[in-house]
Amino acid sequence: MNNYNDFVTTVNKIFELISITKEKIKDQDNQNYIASIEEYKDNVKKYADLLQSGKPIPKKVERL
């Protein structure tokens, strides 16, 4: 398996677990925290595309 496949597999598992957690935990504070984590999904997709294309990843990455 290459880096891209490993990355995508791991990220998919993370967001799957986040989704399960969102269903199970109904506390509003935790729901807000989960929503803030989900906001990074688009950034993750963007960097996955860069990894797949083989282009260099920008040195300045948004802090998580």
Side-chain angles (χ1 to χ4, degrees):
M1 224 184 238
N2 64 27
N3 288 340
Y4 174 76
N5 289 338
D6 291 341
F7 182 78
V8 169
T9 301
T10 302
V11 168
N12 285 339
K13 185 64 175 178
I14 289 168
F15 282 104
E16 177 185 329
L17 292 171
I18 289 171
S19 177
I20 291 169
T21 303
K22 189 175 183 178
E23 291 175 14
K24 301 290 183 183
I25 298 177
K26 300 298 181 187
D27 177 64
Q28 190 58 47
D29 287 337
N30 288 325
Q31 288 288 324
N32 292 338
Y33 185 66
I34 291 167
S36 71
I37 294 170
E38 289 177 327
E39 291 176 10
Y40 290 101
K41 195 170 190 174
D42 289 335
N43 283 345
V44 171
K45 288 179 184 178
K46 180 174 81 173
Y47 288 108
D49 292 342
L50 282 174
L51 185 61
Q52 183 181 30
S53 71
K55 294 178 183 175
I57 295 177
K59 294 190 188 286
K60 186 174 182 180
V61 178
E62 180 183 349
R63 275 180 77 175
L64 301 179

